[in-house]
Amino acid sequence: MILVYGSQRDYDTSTEEGAAIGEFLAKFTAELAASGELVDTQGLTAPVEARQVLWRDGTAVITDGPFAETEEVLAGYWIVECAGLDRATEIAARLSHCPGPQPARGTIIRPIMGGE
């Protein structure tokens, strides 16, 4: 699984920058689909649309809006089925060419349990 992170600022980009990012990601995803390596991909909505649910004393406590005490949150992911970790790393490295601000943590690769 290839994970990308962002911040609310990234969701608040200009229309022009947002279009450039969208175009890059559409091409990136289409290339993965064409290679047969794409299993699934999803972008996530802005952090302000998130909710955190905690259980306290047997009651659900729900908090709207940004929920993490960090500026960066998971922005989306790609699940790929490829030749191995080295190939997944090559794929993830291509995301560094995406226009717009780069996340401080970069792109994260996490093998899925039970995967090869």
Side-chain angles (χ1 to χ4, degrees):
M1 176 179 272
I2 298 170
L3 307 161
V4 293
Y5 289 81
S7 68
Q8 182 63 46
R9 180 190 72 230
D10 299 325
Y11 289 89
D12 297 337
T13 61
S14 69
T15 304
E16 183 178 299
E17 186 175 40
I21 292 169
E23 184 178 314
F24 175 89
L25 294 176
K27 181 179 177 188
F28 175 81
T29 300
E31 289 171 358
L32 283 175
S35 74
E37 295 171 303
L38 180 66
V39 174
D40 186 30
T41 185
Q42 295 294 323
L44 303 177
T45 62
V48 297
E49 297 180 38
R51 285 187 174 172
Q52 181 180 33
V53 179
L54 297 171
W55 284 98
R56 290 202 177 120
D57 300 321
T59 303
V61 177
I62 301 166
T63 306
D64 290 335
F67 54 89
E69 290 191 26
T70 179
E71 287 191 24
E72 290 190 343
V73 295
L74 183 62
Y77 66 88
W78 289 262
I79 296 176
V80 297
E81 188 172 325
C82 57
L85 191 56
D86 288 341
R87 174 63 182 143
T89 302
E90 291 172 7
I91 293 168
R94 290 175 32 211
L95 286 167
S96 66
H97 299 289
C98 185
Q102 295 294 310
R105 290 197 276 166
T107 302
I108 309 295
I109 303 166
R110 298 266 321 256
I112 296 173
M113 291 178 58
E116 295 181 27

